[in-house]
Amino acid sequence: MSNARATHLTRRGILAAGGALGLGAVLAACGDEDAKSSGSSEETAAAKSGPWSFKDDRGDTAKADKIPTNIVAFIGVAAALHDYGIEVKGVFGPTKTKDGKADVQAGDLDISKVTILGNEWGQFNIEKYAALAPDALLTTMFDDAGTLWYVPEESRKKILAVGAPSVAISVYDRQLTEPLQRMLELAESLGADVKAEKVTSAKKRFEDAAARLRAAAKAKPDIKVLAGSAAQDIFYVSGSNLSIDLEYFKALGVNFVEPPASALKASGGWFENLSWENVDKYGADIIMMDNRSSAIQPADITEATWKKLPAVKAGQVIARDPEPILSYDKCVPLLENLAEAIEKAKKVS
């Protein structure tokens, strides 16, 4: 197995199992937002005509003479920005499924209107990228080393040499609310009207959904939730100490199955590998399964041990987005679906 392939499997597994430790920052205080929002249309117009800068989660400040318009982004970032009215020219990462449909990570983005520079791990067409004359390269980070997600390490220098300033939003070791706020700030810097009714109503729905999940978890504290992901030979069980979604859900009171630290050690704290024979190692009342195209979906799992799990037999399996699209609109269902599952769950473990 090549190093590239091994890295791919490790990172895919990391995301498959995700969990988020972190004392991630909560949403900015209303007063702070009001102070920033004195932004009138005149100020917005002035910002669009003036220089642009954005300090990312590496501590690096991306700068340009004007607000970027030829944006290239990781597909999940592009999908989030689309929800805020910011369109990109090119994308990379899981964008199109084998049958030509939009990948789940594309959200509401019309993938026929963007240039796809790479659809799988390790793919990034530098020639196409340069031809777009990009003025910004946007992605996320799943570590604290500044690694740009889905930008191949072996060609990173060549990609950055094209000259577009890069921006990375961290989705590592913090709660969901922090990267959500950071993506909103990035969208605003790119010209989005973050005070638009569509945005504010989505944020309100997110807050209401969070309150609902907190109430559901409090009402049924004994309901155990397992976050899993299926591969051909491995079933990943996530810890809740690194992924932005799981750590936020845990903060709201959700009772997660937690593999011991010794079992998580091989993956750097992200997940435990189980053989399908041992998939029943942990008791769970609800199973959240990785919905990305890189994972085998529940309906396609043929393993007898899976079908015998109490949660599976009870129909208490729901989808999970290990790489949430970071707009409030897209994160509302994550909270609502888990809340509903807990509300309806029967104790089967």
Side-chain angles (χ1 to χ4, degrees):
M1 181 184 294
S2 69
N3 290 335
R5 179 61 175 164
T7 300
H8 169 50
L9 289 175
T10 298
R11 292 190 179 187
R12 175 179 291 178
I14 282 174
L15 285 183
L21 174 60
L23 303 173
V26 295
L27 298 175
C30 295
D32 290 339
E33 290 180 353
D34 289 341
K36 292 178 182 177
S37 75
S38 57
S40 62
S41 58
E42 292 180 1
E43 289 176 327
T44 301
K48 288 183 178 180
S49 63
W52 171 79
S53 68
F54 185 83
K55 186 174 182 179
D56 75 359
D57 292 338
R58 297 170 296 180
D60 295 345
T61 300
K63 297 180 179 180
D65 293 336
K66 61 179 182 179
I67 291 181
T69 54
N70 290 345
I71 300 170
V72 171
F74 172 68
I75 184 61
V77 174
L81 292 177
H82 172 79
D83 287 354
Y84 292 126
I86 304 298
E87 304 301 337
V88 307
K89 295 294 180 66
V91 298
F92 54 95
T95 303
K96 184 184 295 187
T97 60
K98 292 180 180 179
D99 59 4
K101 296 180 180 179
D103 189 274
V104 63
Q105 294 191 64
D108 294 331
L109 189 67
D110 185 346
I111 63 173
S112 69
K113 294 183 178 180
V114 294
T115 298
I116 300 175
L117 303 177
N119 197 57
E120 298 178 2
W121 185 264
Q123 294 181 349
F124 195 111
N125 191 311
I126 302 176
E127 290 73 22
K128 284 186 177 181
Y129 175 62
L132 290 173
D135 48 16
L137 175 66
L138 315 177
T139 188
T140 54
M141 296 186 298
F142 279 88
D143 59 32
D144 56 7
T147 304
L148 301 178
W149 189 236
Y150 265 83
V151 175
E153 280 297 305
E154 61 272 18
S155 53
R156 171 176 171 149
K157 290 184 179 179
K158 290 183 179 180
I159 292 168
L160 296 181
V162 171
S166 63
V167 170
I169 299 297
S170 180
V171 288
Y172 171 76
D173 197 16
R174 62 205 63 208
Q175 293 179 22
L176 176 62
T177 44
E178 183 175 352
L180 263 176
Q181 179 65 22
R182 291 292 284 147
M183 190 63 70
L184 184 70
E185 292 168 0
L186 176 59
E188 182 177 24
S189 81
L190 294 169
D193 180 4
V194 299
K195 295 303 175 183
E197 195 278 333
K198 178 182 179 181
V199 177
T200 57
S201 64
K203 190 172 182 180
K204 178 61 165 59
R205 286 188 291 112
F206 177 87
E207 293 165 348
D208 290 344
R212 177 183 175 185
L213 179 55
R214 187 190 297 277
K218 184 176 181 180
K220 291 188 173 182
D222 293 333
I223 294 296
K224 293 183 179 180
V225 180
L226 182 148
S229 183
Q232 183 174 351
D233 301 315
I234 298 172
F235 184 80
Y236 301 98
V237 178
S238 304
S240 64
N241 289 333
L242 293 175
S243 288
I244 56 176
D245 62 331
L246 301 186
E247 181 59 25
Y248 184 52
F249 300 157
K250 182 172 66 173
L252 292 174
V254 176
N255 181 9
F256 281 106
V257 170
E258 298 281 5
S262 58
L264 300 172
K265 186 175 180 180
S267 68
W270 289 89
F271 58 88
E272 178 180 4
N273 292 350
L274 294 180
S275 65
W276 283 103
E277 290 76 12
N278 295 317
V279 73
D280 60 353
K281 179 177 179 179
Y282 300 106
D285 304 297
I286 296 171
I287 301 176
M288 300 175 68
M289 289 295 289
D290 185 347
N291 71 347
R292 292 168 303 163
S293 55
S294 59
I296 299 174
Q297 297 307 300
D300 299 320
I301 298 175
T302 59
E303 301 290 341
T305 47
W306 163 261
K307 294 180 179 180
K308 292 179 181 179
L309 293 177
V312 175
K313 292 171 69 175
Q316 296 176 175
V317 178
I318 64 173
R320 177 196 169 210
D321 296 67
E323 294 183 69
I325 294 173
L326 295 172
S327 73
Y328 287 101
D329 179 71
K330 292 299 179 293
C331 287
V332 168
L334 311 186
L335 295 162
E336 291 181 336
N337 293 343
L338 181 54
E340 181 179 13
I342 293 174
E343 290 165 355
K344 295 180 177 180
K346 296 179 181 178
K347 183 67 179 175
V348 295
S349 65

